Amino acid sequence: MEHVSGFSLPNSGHNRDAEASKMGMWLFLFTEILLFGGLFIVYMVYRSLNPEAFLMASFELNVWMGTTNTVVLLVSSMTIAMSITAIQKGNRKLSIQLMVLTLVAAVIFMVVKYFEWSAKIEHGLFPGQAVYDNLPPGESLFFFLYFFMTGLHVFHIIIGSVVIGFAIHRTAKGRTTKEKYTLTENAGLLWHLVDLIWIYLFPLFYLIH
Amino acid sequence: MALGGFNLDLFVSPVLPHSLKHLNIMSNQKDLKTEGKKAPEVHISSYKDHFNTLLALLLLTFITVAISVFGANLRSLSVFTALLIATVKVIVVAYYFMHLKYDKKLYTWLLIIVVILFVSFTVLTSIEYLNR
Amino acid sequence: MTSKAMSLSYLQGKNGIFSWIFSLDHKRIALLYLYSILTFFITGATLGVLMRLELLNPGKDLMEAQTYNQVFTMHGVIMIFLFIIPSIPAIFGNFFLPIMLGTDDVSFPRLNLLSWWIYIIGAIMALSTLLWGDGPADTGWTFYAPYSVKTGTNVTMSVLAAFVLGFATILTGLNFIVTIHRLRTPGMTFLKMPLFAWALYATSWIQLLATPIIGITLLMITAERVFGVGLFDPSIGGDPILYQHLFWIYSHPAVYIMALPAFGIISEILPTFANRTIFGYKAIAFSSLAIAFVGYFVWGHHMFTAGMSGTARIIFSVMTFLVAIPTSVKVFNWVATLYKGSINVQPPLLYALAFIFQFMIGGLTGVVLGALAADIHLHDTHFVVGHFHYVMFGGTGFALFGALHYWYPKMWGRMYNKLVANIAFVFLFIGFNMLYFPMLVLGLMGMPRRYYDYLPEFHVPNMISTYGSWILATGLLLMFGNLIAGAWRKREPIGRNYWKTGITLEWQTLSPPPVSNFDRMPVLPKNGPYDYDNKPEIEE
């Protein structure tokens, strides 16, 4: 950076460094992997301790809703990846459209999730409700983990959407360009991570048959 | 865990400028690329590649659902195959969508180390529980 | 001379409160951390002295059993989460990592400031538990389920505070890793980095990869308290031991978050005062990574008596012994560094030597505890308390004090009174060993930890220990008083390289450093950071 005496260091923390931002994003994703990792360990232990209960409880979940959401997330992963391609090629308009499509997918995902959760809550399966409190050992754990893990996942969908919203805003303002698209790229990475988590959540909760 | 995570260094700026004028920091954001260093060639994935990746992922999803719903008699296999297919999907997403294939190899290696770490946690924990 | 006259130090310029608490300068953020962390250290130390006072005699002296439970929990929470985990990385890492790498700031200055703010918010949350409801948690800092789920004290808030503090740790670690990868000065390869930077690199990886696990675990405790799901309750298929697994998957690596930066400090102090190159640079650098890596797989040794399976106990015990190897590699290298050096005995070196001595005791008692059979006897006794205080206070704490004395002239461009510093050191060293060595003895005699009372046969060592705590407290007051008084002492010429034999890059810049850290291009020694044979000439 510039200095009063006219001397400047070659490697400054105040330079714009896209590679550093990307590395930071990756490191952040690692923390996310381990955050969910802790939950997967809990899931693994309790499933191995209560295999039958987990099987019985999983019949309550709707495979088709789960599959729909999987497909929706995979498609959204493609659109956000394409929007990076678009901005790299200098096509700002297309990049924005693809990001908006990603947000639409996020909304569809959450609407499906809403119907899924409300069905469970109607059956009294949310922690603290009457049916939940009388579930046999193990099944209540399944539902707790179901709500906790998918809940945390939806929370990440919301955060990811907000970030994509920022990316859209910046692109629309012209601050994200063909040369400088770090935010779009990082939003994409975050979004893909949300997808990766779901790829594991889906078989572990919906496909125990 | 997600706050402050994107673009990693963005949010606080509106609060700050008055305290910084004398430091002359913010006005200096230079682009590294413009500073003599030649920008590394960036690989741009084509739309078609992305679409093909999606097709592969959808196919894998279809397989895993099919095994689970119609292959109930393969139950002992189902957890294993489901996780295997999920892992293949994850690798595909990371490799193509997340651009690991074209990025610095450093990221791939770090990711592998993180995965090894997590797998070691699960293995150690399961050793504990399986031998109770 | 002209450039010197024109260089504004980071302490000059704007000095209003907002120019500090919103500063993006890593040096100012480091000082923010320094002052807040030391405040919490003094708070925690006061609680510790109170506990020792209660244990002076058998029976109730000072406080009720319940109060004692809350005091030791608060002492643990403050000392672990507010003091020792952030301590060296957040203070000296922030201040010196960029300077040692020859750059002007960390990679994400704004994130750096954010992490301090998150730290302060977490600290306020943790301390707020004192003020309302049934008072602070009484579970011990480990928040073991199922008691932590059932007690009426403010566990939820303490747990959330620890969760928030985790963010601050993660952000600092993330920042350092990227800084080390991206901002090393041209010519400084990874193997030409100072060892303090290596230690911080290993530490940062632990901060980054272990902290999320405790984050999610603490969230589960919160969910359990809010919704009453019984996640760790055996009657509905849960398992309390699983909580311990998750807790220690983080908290054992966290021990290395505390210890590794201290190793880095020692590796900086010793070459300077032995005036020779460090012995076994690569061995020290890589052993940090080895400790960080192996340290992930030893968490089970905290749970030998908890009801784990026998196989797992043996595996964890073996892994625990393995960690001793890279650690002792370091100790041998430090001792070998002193061999045939021209040793200049100054306060920082005294702290470094005390570190080696005390850390050895802490480490070796750790090996004792890692042995399965011995641990059955020693688990949850004062032996454990003595052991980890030797590692954390005798180790990391003394390294922190050493670093304060070592970099004091560089950070403030002033100097403390060396005679008083030496006297304070003697008090600290004697007080520390008098306080904690009897605990090892008490543990072997069978005195359990976490009780406010004990049998009469344990009286004498407890008395010695409490007297020790008074000497230690005197030493602390003397040391801090001396360091603070340095601000009013008559200025003596500090120069760039106060100790004359410092060789890492921070000794090439002004004291205190200018805002952008360097007023001219730093010069790297030819063969690595401790190349005393080709020392670059530093003109004032």
Side-chain angles (χ1 to χ4, degrees):
Chain A
M1 69 174 277
E2 204 178 322
H3 187 262
V4 266
S5 62
F7 164 72
S8 86
L9 287 161
N11 278 4
S12 164
H14 302 289
N15 289 333
R16 184 180 296 283
D17 183 354
E19 189 70 34
S21 301
K22 188 160 71 178
M23 186 182 288
M25 192 68 213
W26 269 106
L27 296 180
F28 175 72
L29 296 189
F30 294 159
T31 70
E32 293 278 27
I33 292 173
L34 283 153
L35 182 84
F36 279 94
L39 284 168
F40 280 116
I41 291 177
V42 174
Y43 174 93
M44 175 191 79
V45 167
Y46 285 153
R47 181 165 172 181
S48 71
L49 292 178
N50 314 285
E52 290 304 313
F54 268 54
L55 181 64
M56 295 309 295
S58 80
F59 285 128
E60 286 288 327
L61 301 190
N62 188 325
V63 181
W64 300 114
M65 282 190 173
T67 312
T68 313
N69 265 352
T70 310
V71 172
V72 168
L73 267 195
L74 288 175
V75 171
S76 76
S77 243
M78 181 192 69
T79 53
I80 192 89
M82 281 181 170
S83 95
I84 295 168
T85 303
I87 194 74
Q88 282 172 329
K89 291 185 172 172
N91 193 341
R92 269 173 46 209
K93 201 173 153 206
L94 182 62
S95 174
I96 292 176
Q97 285 166 345
L98 284 162
M99 281 194 275
V100 171
L101 267 182
T102 313
L103 286 188
V104 171
V107 171
I108 298 175
F109 182 92
M110 284 190 281
V111 168
V112 173
K113 201 91 239 168
Y114 170 77
F115 283 115
E116 224 187 304
W117 272 42
S118 5
K120 303 288 167 299
I121 291 169
E122 245 166 60
H123 289 123
L125 291 170
F126 193 76
Q129 286 183 308
V131 181
Y132 176 90
D133 285 342
N134 295 316
L135 283 175
E139 287 194 34
S140 55
L141 285 176
F142 179 89
F143 283 108
F144 171 74
L145 284 172
Y146 165 76
F147 280 113
F148 198 77
M149 293 175 84
T150 56
L152 195 63
H153 181 256
V154 166
F155 176 73
H156 279 84
I157 295 253
I158 294 168
I159 297 285
S161 308
V162 172
V163 177
I164 292 173
F166 270 102
I168 292 173
H169 176 75
R170 276 203 160 194
T171 316
K173 286 253 164 176
R175 289 167 67 191
T176 300
T177 61
K178 195 179 170 189
E179 287 81 28
K180 268 176 16 190
Y181 50 86
T182 314
L183 180 57
T184 312
E185 204 178 14
N186 280 349
L189 284 175
L190 181 60
W191 194 256
H192 293 310
L193 180 95
V194 172
D195 191 13
L196 293 190
I197 303 287
W198 183 257
I199 288 178
Y200 279 111
L201 285 178
F202 172 58
L204 288 180
F205 280 102
Y206 294 83
L207 300 181
I208 320 176
H209 286 298
Chain B
M1 296 269 133
L3 282 172
F6 65 94
N7 200 10
L8 279 156
D9 203 27
L10 180 81
F11 258 171
V12 219
S13 61
V15 205
L16 302 163
H18 66 281
S19 63
L20 286 167
K21 276 177 192 136
H22 75 288
L23 293 182
N24 210 6
I25 280 173
M26 307 306 295
S27 55
N28 273 302
Q29 294 212 338
K30 287 183 222 157
D31 199 321
L32 264 191
K33 286 175 195 163
T34 61
E35 265 183 47
K37 283 187 192 173
K38 220 180 138 234
E41 243 355 87
V42 180
H43 176 272
I44 302 179
S45 313
S46 67
Y47 299 112
K48 198 172 160 239
D49 284 350
H50 284 320
F51 186 69
N52 289 339
T53 311
L54 177 69
L55 285 185
L57 289 168
L58 290 178
L59 181 70
L60 288 165
T61 309
F62 174 76
I63 294 173
T64 187
V65 174
I67 290 179
S68 154
V69 177
F70 307 110
N73 47 351
L74 299 168
R75 222 177 92 192
S76 59
L77 272 176
S78 84
V79 181
F80 181 72
T81 44
L83 282 182
L84 190 74
I85 293 173
T87 307
V88 174
K89 282 164 77 178
V90 163
I91 291 172
V92 170
V93 171
Y95 209 59
Y96 292 100
F97 281 168
M98 296 176 94
H99 227 248
L100 275 184
K101 185 179 175 190
Y102 311 105
D103 261 333
K104 289 187 172 180
K105 287 288 156 277
L106 174 72
Y107 298 113
T108 312
W109 282 112
L110 291 181
L111 183 64
I112 290 174
I113 290 172
V114 171
V115 170
I116 290 176
L117 192 69
F118 173 66
V119 170
S120 316
F121 289 161
T122 52
V123 168
L124 272 171
T125 315
S126 18
I127 289 177
E128 207 274 272
Y129 278 91
L130 294 177
N131 290 293
R132 277 264 175 94
Chain C
M1 281 312 280
T2 48
S3 79
K4 194 176 172 187
M6 287 166 72
S7 298
L8 211 57
S9 108
Y10 78 104
L11 293 166
Q12 293 162 318
K14 278 207 178 166
N15 247 324
I17 175 95
F18 291 108
S19 73
W20 279 86
I21 62 175
F22 293 124
S23 172
L24 295 187
D25 185 349
H26 66 104
K27 299 181 285 301
R28 287 195 170 196
I29 294 173
L31 289 197
L32 290 177
Y33 262 119
L34 173 74
Y35 299 135
S36 30
I37 284 174
L38 288 185
T39 308
F40 296 124
F41 171 71
I42 291 165
T43 318
T46 312
L47 292 173
V49 170
L50 288 177
M51 281 152 66
R52 273 324 312 172
L53 212 53
E54 167 59 39
L55 293 174
L56 178 59
N57 297 310
K60 188 194 136 192
D61 295 325
L62 194 67
M63 50 183 107
E64 298 291 336
Q66 174 64 8
T67 317
Y68 184 81
N69 292 344
Q70 291 175 314
V71 169
F72 76 65
T73 304
M74 205 64 195
H75 172 79
V77 169
I78 289 178
M79 285 305 206
I80 301 272
F81 292 114
L82 295 181
F83 169 61
I84 203 162
I85 287 186
S87 65
I88 294 176
I91 302 169
F92 299 107
N94 257 329
F95 201 107
F96 287 106
L97 179 70
I99 305 186
M100 284 178 153
L101 298 181
T103 177
D104 61 351
D105 211 324
V106 289
S107 271
F108 307 118
R110 275 167 277 180
L111 215 55
N112 202 16
L113 177 64
L114 180 66
S115 93
W116 180 74
W117 275 98
I118 294 176
Y119 170 80
I120 289 297
I121 292 168
I124 292 171
M125 286 167 73
L127 294 181
S128 75
T129 57
L130 287 162
L131 304 175
W132 42 277
D134 286 335
D138 57 348
T139 55
W141 77 278
T142 51
F143 306 118
Y144 268 9
Y147 183 65
S148 59
V149 179
K150 293 186 173 140
T151 172
T153 49
N154 296 331
V155 171
T156 310
M157 185 49 103
S158 306
V159 159
L160 287 176
F163 178 76
V164 169
L165 289 166
F167 278 97
T169 319
I170 289 179
L171 291 184
T172 306
L174 188 153
N175 221 334
F176 286 178
I177 294 175
V178 178
T179 306
I180 289 172
H181 273 281
R182 299 295 301 168
L183 293 181
R184 279 167 290 121
T185 198
M188 184 184 277
T189 58
F190 260 84
L191 285 176
K192 287 188 174 175
M193 278 199 310
L195 285 166
F196 185 52
W198 267 104
L200 286 174
Y201 187 66
T203 310
S204 301
W205 275 110
I206 311 180
Q207 288 177 323
L208 194 77
L209 298 182
T211 315
I213 306 258
I214 190 86
I216 198 66
T217 312
L218 295 176
L219 277 189
M220 278 188 267
I221 287 282
T222 311
E224 175 131 22
R225 281 178 72 89
V226 174
F227 296 112
V229 286
L231 187 57
F232 301 114
D233 180 354
S235 63
I236 63 156
D239 180 12
I241 297 179
L242 182 60
Y243 173 79
Q244 299 189 18
H245 275 298
L246 293 168
F247 181 82
W248 289 113
I249 286 179
Y250 161 74
S251 295
H252 193 77
V255 171
Y256 301 110
I257 297 180
M258 309 167 194
L260 284 173
F263 297 163
I265 300 263
I266 303 306
S267 310
E268 293 300 328
I269 293 180
L270 288 181
T272 299
F273 295 100
N275 195 9
R276 59 154 291 188
T277 180
I278 191 107
F279 185 87
Y281 170 85
K282 281 187 189 167
I284 295 183
F286 290 131
S287 62
S288 290
L289 291 182
I291 292 172
F293 190 72
V294 183
Y296 276 112
F297 310 124
V298 301
W299 76 81
H301 66 220
H302 295 268
M303 308 156 52
F304 282 157
T305 61
M308 268 197 315
S309 68
T311 325
R313 280 187 240 189
I314 292 169
I315 293 173
F316 282 125
S317 181
V318 172
M319 297 298 276
T320 305
F321 292 146
L322 279 184
V323 189
I325 297 172
T327 317
S328 40
V329 164
K330 280 184 190 292
V331 173
F332 287 129
N333 281 315
W334 290 327
V335 177
T337 301
L338 292 171
Y339 180 66
K340 285 194 174 169
S342 59
I343 291 173
N344 174 15
V345 182
Q346 296 284 357
L349 182 70
L350 291 177
Y351 282 102
L353 296 178
F355 170 93
I356 297 179
F357 173 74
Q358 283 155 185
F359 185 78
M360 288 274 290
I361 296 182
L364 291 173
T365 48
V367 176
V368 173
L369 289 167
L372 278 174
D375 188 71
I376 303 295
H377 176 65
L378 293 171
H379 186 85
D380 253 352
T381 66
H382 262 69
F383 190 86
V384 179
V385 183
H387 154 72
F388 69 71
H389 279 93
Y390 261 99
V391 174
M392 291 175 193
F393 192 0
T396 309
F398 272 64
L400 176 84
F401 300 155
L404 266 176
H405 287 86
Y406 179 53
W407 281 315
Y408 189 97
K410 178 55 67 183
M411 292 167 84
W412 286 282
R414 293 170 171 276
M415 196 52 200
Y416 48 84
N417 182 328
K418 280 190 204 165
L419 178 68
V420 181
N422 288 338
I423 296 172
F425 169 78
V426 173
F427 272 95
L428 283 173
F429 184 73
I430 294 176
F432 174 85
N433 284 289
M434 217 170 128
L435 168 55
Y436 293 110
F437 201 83
M439 289 192 185
L440 298 174
V441 180
L442 281 168
L444 288 169
M445 288 162 76
M447 177 173 160
R449 65 193 277 213
R450 290 181 169 163
Y451 286 87
Y452 82 126
D453 192 6
Y454 52 84
L455 299 173
E457 68 213 61
F458 301 133
H459 192 191
V460 174
N462 268 304
M463 255 168 34
I464 299 176
S465 178
T466 302
Y467 296 154
S469 75
W470 299 341
I471 300 177
L472 183 68
T474 315
L476 284 176
L477 289 177
L478 212 53
M479 184 190 74
F480 285 129
N482 183 35
L483 292 177
I484 294 167
W488 288 279
R489 284 185 79 217
K490 222 177 85 201
R491 275 178 189 272
E492 50 177 297
I494 297 298
R496 288 171 192 256
N497 195 348
Y498 180 80
W499 305 109
K500 305 293 175 228
T501 45
I503 193 171
T504 37
L505 297 191
E506 78 269 28
W507 302 111
Q508 294 188 21
T509 185
L510 301 165
S511 315
V515 175
S516 56
N517 288 351
F518 291 95
D519 57 340
R520 59 190 184 212
M521 193 63 197
V523 185
L524 295 174
K526 204 158 69 195
N527 305 314
Y530 303 99
D531 182 11
Y532 274 80
D533 297 331
N534 302 299
K535 222 167 119 178
E537 283 302 316
I538 302 163
E539 25 171 322
E540 280 304 320

